[in-house]
Structure formats: structure tokens, C-alpha cells
């Protein structure tokens, strides 16, 4: 609901209009935000749009419901729209996406994020923003949302595609499967060459969101922006249940990476990006939600988790929370690889609900071993 001053302002305008005094000037600074239902909005890329929400753990069974892991199974065929709705094959906004899994934190839970989006897909078109997958830039979509709702929080996940996350994963997997060489050295150089420019564009994305909200009549105190980082979908080498040699990581686990590359991704790349995003959040005066450790023990191939089988059903407490790499493309789409699955997204939804209730300070969100999404918790930092 709008605040009391905003209600009073609208009541005054109504009285003035009724009295024939509609020409009375109202300072622009007092423009009210949307008078509609309270809303929380998700913006950005695939890690918040809901990519891979089709899956509940990973199973080697390639038919039927894949031992219950494939939520797109209808009983006779596969229908991804059961999970992604009208965005199947496009933005992949799943029914378990972070904002949709946050619970009753607002009247409207709105997902504007799109799988594959970069910062230029967030900027307003008037500021050089680009349409993506048939949709207007997300900041322009936000303008309509802000006018029709009372937006309380905007969660933003962006920058990973600008840095080339998908290319890094593809390169590292190819180096393991085909070339028998490491990827971390050349990929680190690629990231280092891009990261300053990417972080500047992430900061600009925050500025664009603020500009939209200001134009819609919101004061800075009317809403919050939460910039979030990315989790590691693969474990450290010591926490991988499959040996480095042989084909188990490729054909069984779906985690085809060398030990050195796994450790680099988990303990260098993901923390580097998280630390830089935290720096952007601090500089821009917005909250930061650190997800770097959110999948700890739930990663693809993690010793603390299990694959789903005919005797081990899908479970939020024991199954993996991220989608494996299906190198043979026998299940779903390759683009779903290395993204939080339905369980992971439900966990992140819990993180969003927790930070919604904690309006100040940067927060780190982690899972509790042996618990489902309800076991997520925040620590300051």
C-alpha cells in the first residue's frame, strides 16, 4: 500500500479536481509511485530468470520422467511450457524462479529477467539498450511495472553473460573432454581483460533502474535494489565424488572439468566476480546478496549430494541443486547446463525472502546441509 503522505496527496488532488481547481500545481518531487499492489521484481539474466527450473536433480535415465527429475514430462511427451510458460525456448522464466519461490513477500512477484541477457538488455532503449528475444529492454519494461504497482524491491543478477560465462564453461569442458588441457590460465586472462568494463556496465544498469524509478515518481526510500552474485555450480576437486581420470565425470556425473579448473572456478573465478559485484553495490549504495557459497555441497558431482535413480527419488535434501552438462544432449536443452535447478531456485527464493526482511547491509546466503530450501540462512558480509 502507498504511504500515508501519498494517499493524502491523491485525496487532495481529488478534492481539487471536484472543486474545479485541477490546475493547482503539484511539485514534481511529490509525484506518487504506482498505487497498485506491492511488488517485488526480478531483472537480469538466466541465474535469476529461472533457467533449468525444469529439473529436480539429475538422472542418467533418458526416458519418461527421467526418474522424476523432468517436470516437463506429461506422461506421454515433453512440454517445457509446463515449467517455462510462454517463455519456453526463449527467456526461460520458470515457475520456480527466484522471485516466484520467495513466498508471500509482496502481492505481485514479477519476473522480467531473461536467459542470455547482458547489461545492454537492461538499459533503457533511449540510452542505448537493446531489445532481446522479442522483448523491450528490461528497464523499459520496469517503467510499466513501476506505474502499475507499488514496487518495494528489485533484485538484479547481471554481468555473467557480459563476461562470457557460457563460453568459459564450454571451453573448460572441451579442454577436459577433447584437448586434455587446462582452461583456467587463458580464461582467467580473458576475464581480467573484460571485468573492469563489465562492472562499469553493471553499475550503469543500477543507474538505469534508478532513473526509471525516479521518473515513475518513486523516492529513493520507497524501494530497494538488491544486486546479487553467482553461485558455483561445480565443487572443489576434493569435494567431487568422481575421480579426475576416466570418463565418469563426463558420462556419469556431467561435470567434465579438471581438478585444477574446478578449484579455479570455485575458489578464484566465482569469488573474484562476487567481490567485484559487491564493490559495485557498495559504490552505488544498494544491497548486495552474495550467493557464491549458496550451492555448497549441492553442486553437480558434489560428494554431499546424490544423483536420482529408480531407487533414490528426487529430494531437495539429497539431490543436486544444479543442472549437469548433458554432453550427449539426450535430456532437454544444453543451455540449461550449470544453472540452479528447481531446488536451487527455491533455495535462492528463500534467500530473497530473507533479505527482503532485512532492509540494510550486505548479506551472504548459504544452505544448511541436509535441509531443503527452508534451511537457507543469511550472514552479514
Amino acid at each position: 500500500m502507498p504511504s500515508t503522505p501519498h494517499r493524502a496527496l491523491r485525496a487532495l488532488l481529488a478534492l481539487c479536481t471536484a472543486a474545479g481547481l485541477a490546475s493547482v500545481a503539484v511539485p514534481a518531487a511529490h509525484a506518487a509511485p504506482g498505487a497498485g499492489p506491492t511488488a517485488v521484481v526480478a531483472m537480469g539474466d538466466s541465474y535469476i530468470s529461472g533457467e533449468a527450473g525444469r529439473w529436480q536433480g539429475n538422472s542418467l535415465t533418458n526416458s519418461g520422467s527421467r526418474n522424476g527429475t523432468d517436470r516437463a514430462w506429461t506422461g506421454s511427451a515433453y512440454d517445457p511450457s509446463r515449467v517455462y510458460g510462454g517463455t519456453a525456448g526463449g527467456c526461460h522464466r520458470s515457475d520456480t524462479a527466484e522471485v516466484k519461490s520467495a513466498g508471500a513477500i509482496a502481492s505481485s512477484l514479477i519476473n522480467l529477467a531473461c536467459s542470455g541477457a547482458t547489461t545492454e538488455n537492461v538499459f533503457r532503449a533511449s540510452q542505448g539498450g537493446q531489445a532481446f528475444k522479442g522483448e523491450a529492454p528490461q528497464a523499459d519494461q520496469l517503467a510499466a511495472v513501476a506505474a502499475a504497482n507499488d514496487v518495494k524491491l528489485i533484485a538484479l543478477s547481471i554481468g555473467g553473460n557480459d563476461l562470457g560465462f557460457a563460453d568459459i564453461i564450454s571451453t573448460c569442458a572441451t579442454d577436459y573432454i577433447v584437448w586434455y588441457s587446462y582452461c583456467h590460465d587463458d580464461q582467467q586472462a580473458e576475464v581480467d581483460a573484460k571485468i573492469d568494463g563489465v562492472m562499469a556496465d553493471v553499475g550503469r544498469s543500477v543507474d538505469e533502474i534508478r532513473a526509471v524509478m525516479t521518473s515513475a515518481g518513486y523516492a529513493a526510500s520507497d524501494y530497494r535494489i538488491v544486486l546479487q552474485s553467482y553461485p558455483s555450480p561445480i565443487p572443489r576437486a576434493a569435494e567431487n565424488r568422481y575421480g579426475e581420470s576416466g570418463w565418469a565425470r563426463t558420462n556419469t556425473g556431467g561435470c567434465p572439468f579438471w581438478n585444477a579448473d574446478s578449484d579455479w572456478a570455485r575458489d578464484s573465478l566465482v569469488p573474484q566476480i562476487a567481490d567485484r559485484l559487491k564493490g559495485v553495490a557498495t559504490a552505488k549504495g544498494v544491497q548486495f546478496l552474495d550467493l557464491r557459497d549458496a550451492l555448497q555441497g549441492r553442486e553437480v558431482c558434489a560428494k554431499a549430494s546424490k544423483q536420482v535413480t529408480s531407487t533414490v527419488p528426487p529430494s531437495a535434501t539429497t539431490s543436486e541443486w544444479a543442472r549437469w552438462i548433458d554432453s550427449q544432449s539426450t535430456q532437454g536443452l544444453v543451455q540449461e547446463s550449470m544453472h540452479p535447478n528447481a531446488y536451487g531456485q527455491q533455495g535462492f527464493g528463500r534467500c530473497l525472502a530473507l533479505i527482503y526482511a532485512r532492509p540494510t547491509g550486505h548479506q551472504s546466503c548459504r544452505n544448511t546441509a541436509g535441509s531443503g530450501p527452508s534451511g537457507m540462512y543469511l550472514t552479514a558480509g
Side-chain angles (χ1 to χ4, degrees):
M1 293 294 292
S3 63
T4 299
H6 292 144
R7 287 200 299 270
L9 176 60
R10 277 191 284 275
L12 176 60
L13 287 173
L15 288 172
C16 288
T17 301
L21 301 175
S23 61
V24 174
V26 178
H30 293 289
T38 57
V40 172
V41 182
M43 299 179 66
D45 56 27
S46 56
Y47 271 76
I48 198 169
S49 75
E51 183 71 82
R54 171 177 174 175
W55 306 95
Q56 298 178 129
N58 299 303
S59 170
L60 291 169
T61 299
N62 290 326
S63 60
S65 68
R66 341 276 194 176
N67 288 324
T69 61
D70 191 350
R71 300 195 302 127
W73 176 244
T74 66
S76 60
Y78 300 104
D79 180 9
S81 69
R82 288 163 62 100
V83 175
Y84 300 118
T87 68
C91 287
H92 275 197
R93 298 185 182 113
S94 77
D95 55 356
T96 57
E98 181 178 314
V99 71
K100 297 295 186 179
S101 294
I105 58 176
S107 298
S108 296
L109 303 172
I110 300 170
N111 191 354
L112 302 180
C114 189
S115 181
T118 62
T119 50
E120 72 173 5
N121 304 128
V122 173
F123 306 156
R124 291 168 292 173
S126 63
Q127 301 301 311
Q130 300 295 311
F132 188 57
K133 295 186 177 178
E135 297 186 1
Q138 292 178 34
D140 291 327
Q141 295 181 55
L142 176 63
V145 170
N149 298 273
D150 187 8
V151 176
K152 294 300 184 184
L153 185 146
I154 300 161
L156 175 65
S157 169
I158 202 69
N161 291 318
D162 298 69
L163 283 171
F165 258 8
D167 290 339
I168 292 172
I169 291 170
S170 176
T171 298
C172 291
T174 300
D175 282 355
Y176 180 86
I177 297 170
V178 179
W179 301 115
Y180 301 97
S181 62
Y182 294 131
C183 72
H184 63 269
D185 44 3
D186 57 319
Q187 291 304 301
Q188 183 65 66
E190 292 276 347
V191 170
D192 289 343
K194 295 177 181 177
I195 198 162
D196 286 346
V198 170
M199 292 302 146
D201 285 339
V202 172
R204 185 181 164 196
S205 296
V206 173
D207 293 340
E208 286 285 292
I209 290 170
R210 278 210 175 108
V212 167
M213 298 300 287
T214 298
S215 294
Y218 288 73
S221 60
D222 289 329
Y223 69 99
R224 282 185 283 149
I225 298 173
V226 174
L227 177 64
Q228 62 187 53
S229 65
Y230 299 92
S232 174
I234 59 173
R236 298 176 179 87
E239 297 167 352
N240 195 311
R241 64 177 178 265
Y242 303 103
E244 183 178 34
S245 61
W247 290 101
R249 287 190 181 180
T250 302
N251 293 337
T252 305
C255 56
F257 304 102
W258 294 109
N259 284 346
D261 291 338
S262 298
D263 286 343
W264 166 73
R266 180 66 180 86
D267 290 326
S268 182
L269 177 64
V270 169
Q272 177 187 14
I273 296 171
D275 289 343
R276 292 298 301 269
L277 287 168
K278 182 178 180 180
V280 172
T282 299
K284 294 298 180 179
V286 301
Q287 276 188 287
F288 177 62
L289 179 59
D290 193 344
L291 297 177
R292 75 180 79 186
D293 297 317
L295 295 180
Q296 174 62 37
R298 316 302 187 115
E299 307 100 331
V300 177
C301 295
K303 288 180 179 178
S305 296
K306 302 176 182 179
Q307 282 188 347
V308 178
T309 69
S310 59
T311 58
V312 179
S315 167
T317 62
T318 62
S319 300
E320 296 164 332
W321 284 16
R323 184 64 179 157
W324 63 7
I325 293 179
D326 177 16
S327 60
Q328 303 300 316
S329 299
T330 58
Q331 299 183 16
L333 299 175
V334 174
Q335 73 184 57
E336 294 172 309
S337 302
M338 298 290 107
H339 286 84
N341 62 22
Y343 296 139
Q345 290 170 23
Q346 288 163 1
F348 295 171
R350 178 59 180 163
C351 296
L352 181 60
L354 290 171
I355 201 168
Y356 184 84
R358 195 170 297 183
T360 59
H362 297 333
Q363 305 292 332
S364 175
C365 196
R366 306 183 183 202
N367 75 79
T368 301
S371 295
S374 63
M376 304 301 292
Y377 65 94
L378 297 182
T379 58

